[in-house]
Amino acid sequence: MKEQLNKVMQRNQLVDMMYIAKNGEITKRRIKVTNVSDDKFNAYCFLKHANRVFFIDNVLALVPVIRKEREVI
């Protein structure tokens, strides 16, 4: 997971993340990773509109956001 987070950060990609909080609540968040350390990473969370710190072990899944151009009719 740490390698995937580093790749996402280097590519400046947005990702959708499934995350489990300390209290057991599972949330889906759109984030932009800004820094990765040993067991944590910093990211801008578009759900909370703020910079947050997340534990790498609590990440359930990461999916890159793919933006498609709108089709002209």
Side-chain angles (χ1 to χ4, degrees):
M1 189 62 70
K2 189 173 178 181
E3 289 177 21
Q4 193 175 1
L5 286 165
N6 279 318
K7 280 184 190 177
V8 165
M9 182 178 66
Q10 290 168 355
R11 294 177 182 165
N12 210 21
Q13 262 184 324
L14 297 180
V15 290
D16 285 334
M17 171 180 72
M18 295 298 292
Y19 188 79
I20 186 164
K22 285 186 238 176
N23 64 4
E25 182 183 357
I26 296 174
T27 59
K28 179 181 176 187
R29 299 165 180 257
R30 183 158 290 181
I31 61 168
K32 183 176 181 181
V33 179
T34 55
N35 186 32
V36 179
S37 65
D38 290 335
D39 60 343
K40 302 176 195 171
F41 66 97
N42 296 18
Y44 181 81
C45 176
F46 291 92
L47 178 69
K48 300 289 185 180
H49 301 288
N51 289 311
R52 305 294 254 205
V53 177
F54 300 99
F55 289 94
I56 293 173
D57 288 344
N58 291 8
V59 177
L60 301 174
L62 288 176
V63 179
V65 175
I66 300 180
R67 299 182 205 160
K68 294 185 179 179
E69 293 183 29
R70 293 185 190 169
E71 293 181 22
V72 178
I73 298 174

mmCIF file of all heavy atoms in Angstrom, residues 17 29-35 41-54:
data_model
loop_
_atom_site.group_PDB
_atom_site.id
_atom_site.type_symbol
_atom_site.label_atom_id
_atom_site.label_comp_id
_atom_site.label_asym_id
_atom_site.label_seq_id
_atom_site.Cartn_x
_atom_site.Cartn_y
_atom_site.Cartn_z
ATOM 1 N N MET A 17 -10.544 6.606 -1.881
ATOM 2 C CA MET A 17 -10.005 5.728 -0.863
ATOM 3 C C MET A 17 -11.130 5.214 0.027
ATOM 4 O O MET A 17 -11.994 5.977 0.436
ATOM 5 C CB MET A 17 -8.986 6.505 -0.011
ATOM 6 C CG MET A 17 -8.503 5.780 1.209
ATOM 7 S SD MET A 17 -7.309 6.713 2.185
ATOM 8 C CE MET A 17 -8.350 7.974 2.914
ATOM 9 N N ARG A 29 -13.489 8.366 0.622
ATOM 10 C CA ARG A 29 -13.007 9.737 0.524
ATOM 11 C C ARG A 29 -12.227 9.924 -0.763
ATOM 12 O O ARG A 29 -11.516 9.027 -1.205
ATOM 13 C CB ARG A 29 -12.057 10.061 1.691
ATOM 14 C CG ARG A 29 -12.703 9.950 3.051
ATOM 15 C CD ARG A 29 -11.634 9.911 4.126
ATOM 16 N NE ARG A 29 -12.227 9.809 5.443
ATOM 17 C CZ ARG A 29 -12.326 10.828 6.282
ATOM 18 N NH1 ARG A 29 -11.875 12.013 5.959
ATOM 19 N NH2 ARG A 29 -12.868 10.656 7.464
ATOM 20 N N ARG A 30 -12.345 11.089 -1.350
ATOM 21 C CA ARG A 30 -11.497 11.464 -2.491
ATOM 22 C C ARG A 30 -10.356 12.286 -1.908
ATOM 23 O O ARG A 30 -10.588 13.268 -1.207
ATOM 24 C CB ARG A 30 -12.290 12.267 -3.511
ATOM 25 C CG ARG A 30 -11.446 12.603 -4.733
ATOM 26 C CD ARG A 30 -12.295 12.905 -5.926
ATOM 27 N NE ARG A 30 -12.938 11.655 -6.375
ATOM 28 C CZ ARG A 30 -13.749 11.583 -7.420
ATOM 29 N NH1 ARG A 30 -14.026 12.647 -8.117
ATOM 30 N NH2 ARG A 30 -14.294 10.436 -7.763
ATOM 31 N N ILE A 31 -9.123 11.858 -2.193
ATOM 32 C CA ILE A 31 -7.967 12.515 -1.590
ATOM 33 C C ILE A 31 -6.885 12.824 -2.620
ATOM 34 O O ILE A 31 -6.867 12.246 -3.710
ATOM 35 C CB ILE A 31 -7.345 11.651 -0.467
ATOM 36 C CG1 ILE A 31 -6.861 10.303 -1.016
ATOM 37 C CG2 ILE A 31 -8.315 11.475 0.682
ATOM 38 C CD1 ILE A 31 -5.990 9.517 -0.056
ATOM 39 N N LYS A 32 -5.993 13.724 -2.217
ATOM 40 C CA LYS A 32 -4.772 14.007 -2.967
ATOM 41 C C LYS A 32 -3.625 13.880 -1.972
ATOM 42 O O LYS A 32 -3.530 14.653 -1.015
ATOM 43 C CB LYS A 32 -4.813 15.411 -3.560
ATOM 44 C CG LYS A 32 -3.611 15.735 -4.400
ATOM 45 C CD LYS A 32 -3.744 17.085 -5.048
ATOM 46 C CE LYS A 32 -2.528 17.355 -5.910
ATOM 47 N NZ LYS A 32 -2.617 18.666 -6.529
ATOM 48 N N VAL A 33 -2.768 12.873 -2.162
ATOM 49 C CA VAL A 33 -1.687 12.568 -1.226
ATOM 50 C C VAL A 33 -0.591 13.625 -1.342
ATOM 51 O O VAL A 33 -0.150 13.962 -2.438
ATOM 52 C CB VAL A 33 -1.104 11.160 -1.497
ATOM 53 C CG1 VAL A 33 0.020 10.849 -0.542
ATOM 54 C CG2 VAL A 33 -2.197 10.105 -1.412
ATOM 55 N N THR A 34 -0.147 14.145 -0.181
ATOM 56 C CA THR A 34 0.891 15.187 -0.170
ATOM 57 C C THR A 34 2.200 14.720 0.462
ATOM 58 O O THR A 34 3.253 15.269 0.156
ATOM 59 C CB THR A 34 0.394 16.447 0.570
ATOM 60 O OG1 THR A 34 -0.042 16.073 1.879
ATOM 61 C CG2 THR A 34 -0.748 17.100 -0.185
ATOM 62 N N ASN A 35 2.144 13.714 1.344
ATOM 63 C CA ASN A 35 3.363 13.243 2.002
ATOM 64 C C ASN A 35 3.127 11.831 2.536
ATOM 65 O O ASN A 35 2.060 11.536 3.055
ATOM 66 C CB ASN A 35 3.733 14.185 3.156
ATOM 67 C CG ASN A 35 5.061 13.826 3.776
ATOM 68 O OD1 ASN A 35 5.960 13.340 3.108
ATOM 69 N ND2 ASN A 35 5.179 14.029 5.080
ATOM 70 N N PHE A 41 0.261 8.913 6.310
ATOM 71 C CA PHE A 41 0.436 9.802 5.161
ATOM 72 C C PHE A 41 -0.498 10.995 5.303
ATOM 73 O O PHE A 41 -1.527 10.920 5.954
ATOM 74 C CB PHE A 41 0.219 9.064 3.833
ATOM 75 C CG PHE A 41 -1.180 8.574 3.592
ATOM 76 C CD1 PHE A 41 -2.059 9.311 2.822
ATOM 77 C CD2 PHE A 41 -1.616 7.373 4.115
ATOM 78 C CE1 PHE A 41 -3.355 8.856 2.584
ATOM 79 C CE2 PHE A 41 -2.903 6.902 3.884
ATOM 80 C CZ PHE A 41 -3.768 7.656 3.117
ATOM 81 N N ASN A 42 -0.076 12.101 4.716
ATOM 82 C CA ASN A 42 -0.874 13.321 4.708
ATOM 83 C C ASN A 42 -1.553 13.427 3.353
ATOM 84 O O ASN A 42 -0.961 13.079 2.331
ATOM 85 C CB ASN A 42 -0.001 14.555 4.904
ATOM 86 C CG ASN A 42 0.680 14.595 6.245
ATOM 87 O OD1 ASN A 42 0.784 13.578 6.916
ATOM 88 N ND2 ASN A 42 1.147 15.746 6.640
ATOM 89 N N ALA A 43 -2.773 13.933 3.369
ATOM 90 C CA ALA A 43 -3.508 14.113 2.126
ATOM 91 C C ALA A 43 -4.552 15.200 2.307
ATOM 92 O O ALA A 43 -5.021 15.434 3.426
ATOM 93 C CB ALA A 43 -4.184 12.810 1.711
ATOM 94 N N TYR A 44 -4.897 15.835 1.187
ATOM 95 C CA TYR A 44 -6.031 16.755 1.208
ATOM 96 C C TYR A 44 -7.280 15.910 0.986
ATOM 97 O O TYR A 44 -7.371 15.164 0.016
ATOM 98 C CB TYR A 44 -5.911 17.833 0.134
ATOM 99 C CG TYR A 44 -7.082 18.783 0.175
ATOM 100 C CD1 TYR A 44 -7.117 19.818 1.103
ATOM 101 C CD2 TYR A 44 -8.171 18.623 -0.678
ATOM 102 C CE1 TYR A 44 -8.207 20.681 1.176
ATOM 103 C CE2 TYR A 44 -9.257 19.481 -0.617
ATOM 104 C CZ TYR A 44 -9.270 20.504 0.315
ATOM 105 O OH TYR A 44 -10.342 21.351 0.391
ATOM 106 N N CYS A 45 -8.245 16.007 1.896
ATOM 107 C CA CYS A 45 -9.479 15.238 1.822
ATOM 108 C C CYS A 45 -10.581 16.145 1.267
ATOM 109 O O CYS A 45 -10.905 17.168 1.875
ATOM 110 C CB CYS A 45 -9.854 14.719 3.204
ATOM 111 S SG CYS A 45 -11.426 13.858 3.235
ATOM 112 N N PHE A 46 -11.146 15.772 0.125
ATOM 113 C CA PHE A 46 -12.197 16.573 -0.492
ATOM 114 C C PHE A 46 -13.539 16.398 0.225
ATOM 115 O O PHE A 46 -14.420 17.237 0.093
ATOM 116 C CB PHE A 46 -12.324 16.231 -1.980
ATOM 117 C CG PHE A 46 -11.132 16.690 -2.772
ATOM 118 C CD1 PHE A 46 -10.053 15.848 -2.982
ATOM 119 C CD2 PHE A 46 -11.078 17.974 -3.281
ATOM 120 C CE1 PHE A 46 -8.946 16.274 -3.700
ATOM 121 C CE2 PHE A 46 -9.976 18.412 -3.996
ATOM 122 C CZ PHE A 46 -8.909 17.560 -4.203
ATOM 123 N N LEU A 47 -13.694 15.326 1.022
ATOM 124 C CA LEU A 47 -14.904 15.132 1.813
ATOM 125 C C LEU A 47 -14.966 16.154 2.952
ATOM 126 O O LEU A 47 -15.993 16.777 3.195
ATOM 127 C CB LEU A 47 -14.947 13.707 2.379
ATOM 128 C CG LEU A 47 -16.139 13.362 3.275
ATOM 129 C CD1 LEU A 47 -17.423 13.323 2.457
ATOM 130 C CD2 LEU A 47 -15.916 12.029 3.964
ATOM 131 N N LYS A 48 -13.845 16.334 3.632
ATOM 132 C CA LYS A 48 -13.775 17.252 4.778
ATOM 133 C C LYS A 48 -13.258 18.641 4.391
ATOM 134 O O LYS A 48 -13.254 19.544 5.226
ATOM 135 C CB LYS A 48 -12.862 16.673 5.863
ATOM 136 C CG LYS A 48 -13.323 15.343 6.404
ATOM 137 C CD LYS A 48 -14.559 15.491 7.243
ATOM 138 C CE LYS A 48 -14.928 14.157 7.881
ATOM 139 N NZ LYS A 48 -16.108 14.238 8.706
ATOM 140 N N HIS A 49 -12.774 18.783 3.153
ATOM 141 C CA HIS A 49 -12.195 20.049 2.673
ATOM 142 C C HIS A 49 -11.076 20.531 3.587
ATOM 143 O O HIS A 49 -11.042 21.693 4.005
ATOM 144 C CB HIS A 49 -13.271 21.130 2.524
ATOM 145 C CG HIS A 49 -14.351 20.751 1.571
ATOM 146 N ND1 HIS A 49 -14.164 20.699 0.212
ATOM 147 C CD2 HIS A 49 -15.631 20.353 1.786
ATOM 148 C CE1 HIS A 49 -15.273 20.320 -0.378
ATOM 149 N NE2 HIS A 49 -16.185 20.090 0.567
ATOM 150 N N ALA A 50 -10.167 19.597 3.919
ATOM 151 C CA ALA A 50 -9.065 19.932 4.819
ATOM 152 C C ALA A 50 -7.918 18.933 4.643
ATOM 153 O O ALA A 50 -8.118 17.835 4.123
ATOM 154 C CB ALA A 50 -9.541 19.892 6.258
ATOM 155 N N ASN A 51 -6.723 19.351 5.076
ATOM 156 C CA ASN A 51 -5.586 18.433 5.114
ATOM 157 C C ASN A 51 -5.781 17.494 6.289
ATOM 158 O O ASN A 51 -6.143 17.919 7.382
ATOM 159 C CB ASN A 51 -4.280 19.205 5.254
ATOM 160 C CG ASN A 51 -3.932 19.939 3.982
ATOM 161 O OD1 ASN A 51 -3.961 19.353 2.906
ATOM 162 N ND2 ASN A 51 -3.614 21.208 4.091
ATOM 163 N N ARG A 52 -5.548 16.193 6.058
ATOM 164 C CA ARG A 52 -5.756 15.185 7.089
ATOM 165 C C ARG A 52 -4.552 14.253 7.145
ATOM 166 O O ARG A 52 -3.813 14.116 6.185
ATOM 167 C CB ARG A 52 -6.996 14.339 6.789
ATOM 168 C CG ARG A 52 -8.259 15.125 6.580
ATOM 169 C CD ARG A 52 -8.664 15.804 7.828
ATOM 170 N NE ARG A 52 -9.811 15.120 8.396
ATOM 171 C CZ ARG A 52 -10.672 15.708 9.187
ATOM 172 N NH1 ARG A 52 -10.518 16.954 9.514
ATOM 173 N NH2 ARG A 52 -11.686 15.049 9.674
ATOM 174 N N VAL A 53 -4.418 13.555 8.273
ATOM 175 C CA VAL A 53 -3.401 12.520 8.447
ATOM 176 C C VAL A 53 -4.125 11.180 8.527
ATOM 177 O O VAL A 53 -5.091 11.034 9.279
ATOM 178 C CB VAL A 53 -2.576 12.758 9.736
ATOM 179 C CG1 VAL A 53 -1.570 11.623 9.942
ATOM 180 C CG2 VAL A 53 -1.867 14.099 9.672
ATOM 181 N N PHE A 54 -3.672 10.205 7.730
ATOM 182 C CA PHE A 54 -4.284 8.882 7.689
ATOM 183 C C PHE A 54 -3.241 7.826 8.020
ATOM 184 O O PHE A 54 -2.064 7.995 7.697
ATOM 185 C CB PHE A 54 -4.848 8.591 6.290
ATOM 186 C CG PHE A 54 -5.910 9.554 5.840
ATOM 187 C CD1 PHE A 54 -5.604 10.598 4.987
ATOM 188 C CD2 PHE A 54 -7.224 9.405 6.251
ATOM 189 C CE1 PHE A 54 -6.582 11.487 4.565
ATOM 190 C CE2 PHE A 54 -8.207 10.275 5.842
ATOM 191 C CZ PHE A 54 -7.889 11.317 4.993
#
